[in-house]
Amino acid sequence: MVSFGAEYLIESMIYQNLSEQALLIRCSTNDTKAFQVIYDDFKAFVFAVVYARIDDKDDALDVTQDIFISLWESRKQLAEIRDFKSYLYVYSRNQVISAYRKKNIRLKGETYLLEKLDQIDHSAEDHLVARELTTSIDNAVGQLPETMRNCYKLSKSDGKTNNEIAAILKISEKTVRNNISEALKRLRFYLQRNNPEIFILILSLPAFCHFWSR
């Protein structure tokens, strides 16, 4: 007679020897043991994807756990996935964005990027991320009040000094400074709330690492 411990060991070995696709198919039929193997095989990978983008380790662990909970809840779809690791990478990245919108978590590079928003070279069109960032900023600028929008554009796009802007718009330099300062505050808020994808994109490009490594 085979002991319970031996049966468990044999069963575990059977699951370990199943192909990734076979495991996913079993997961889609509510097989918790198959899902445990998937979890064990990919938890380190998912955590690495998440922690590369979130400042706090505990937050990263929470998001990682939420990702696997979400995967289990949508397990019926797992049987259709052919390249699970690539799927999981995109899924994890998107879950980071979702968590950022829903929870009080910080993305790596976020603070530095927002603080240096007024120093970003908006003409750096040779990088996809620069184009994405410029488009987001342009959308936000388009929502600013007219005087504030004109002050920001003349300063950041045309390189005009506060004195020159004041002369062009026939307002005081103090009003120019206040409008530009308020514009930057609104742009930061807009990016934080509406475009966390920008931070995720920036994290994917080594060329932008200096944003948060200084």
Side-chain angles (χ1 to χ4, degrees):
M1 174 182 267
V2 180
S3 68
F4 174 78
E7 285 183 357
Y8 178 82
L9 182 60
I10 292 171
E11 185 179 45
S12 296
M13 289 176 63
I14 291 173
Y15 274 88
Q16 289 293 340
N17 290 327
L18 289 174
S19 68
E20 183 180 286
Q21 191 61 38
L23 287 168
L24 293 174
I25 291 172
R26 286 184 178 237
C27 288
S28 70
T29 61
N30 305 325
D31 190 327
T32 57
K33 293 176 182 176
F35 190 77
Q36 182 65 48
V37 175
I38 290 290
Y39 174 79
D40 291 339
D41 287 348
F42 288 98
K43 62 183 177 181
F45 171 74
V46 171
F47 177 75
V49 172
V50 173
Y51 194 38
R53 291 158 174 78
I54 294 180
D55 261 340
D56 186 80
K57 185 176 181 180
D58 289 336
D59 285 339
L61 287 169
D62 288 343
V63 173
T64 298
Q65 193 66 28
D66 289 343
I67 286 170
F68 282 100
I69 291 172
S70 180
L71 281 172
W72 177 250
E73 290 173 347
S74 58
R75 59 191 175 276
K76 299 297 183 184
Q77 305 170 19
L78 295 180
E80 303 170 7
I81 300 169
R82 292 296 173 264
D83 186 350
F84 185 63
K85 192 169 186 177
S86 295
Y87 172 86
L88 196 54
Y89 175 85
V90 175
Y91 190 85
S92 299
R93 186 186 64 189
N94 291 341
Q95 287 295 103
V96 169
I97 294 171
S98 178
Y100 176 79
R101 284 184 168 141
K102 294 176 182 178
K103 302 177 181 180
N104 186 28
I105 65 173
R106 304 294 297 181
L107 296 177
K108 287 182 178 175
E110 174 189 348
T111 301
Y112 189 84
L113 176 62
L114 291 174
E115 287 176 351
K116 301 300 181 182
L117 189 60
D118 60 332
Q119 298 176 21
I120 291 173
D121 182 3
H122 291 197
S123 65
E125 293 296 323
D126 54 326
H127 286 291
L128 171 63
V129 172
R131 290 198 298 273
E132 292 279 353
L133 182 56
T134 299
T135 298
S136 295
I137 291 174
D138 287 345
N139 289 339
V141 170
Q143 299 178 29
L144 297 174
E146 184 178 1
T147 299
M148 191 179 297
R149 181 170 66 249
N150 289 336
C151 286
Y152 180 86
K153 284 186 174 181
L154 287 168
S155 174
K156 305 307 174 186
S157 299
D158 298 345
K160 301 292 186 183
T161 65
N162 288 350
N163 184 50
E164 290 172 330
I165 297 170
I168 292 170
L169 299 181
K170 295 180 173 54
I171 56 179
S172 69
E173 283 192 56
K174 181 179 180 181
T175 300
V176 172
R177 287 195 301 272
N178 290 342
N179 272 275
I180 293 174
S181 176
E182 181 62 25
L184 287 168
K185 288 179 183 177
R186 296 190 186 192
L187 292 181
R188 293 181 184 115
F189 181 78
Y190 179 91
L191 286 176
Q192 284 180 303
R193 294 298 89 195
N194 298 290
N195 291 91
E197 295 89 346
I198 291 297
F199 302 113
I200 301 299
L201 283 171
I202 286 173
L203 286 169
S204 70
L205 283 186
F208 286 82
C209 286
H210 65 279
F211 277 161
W212 60 86
S213 62
R214 290 181 179 179

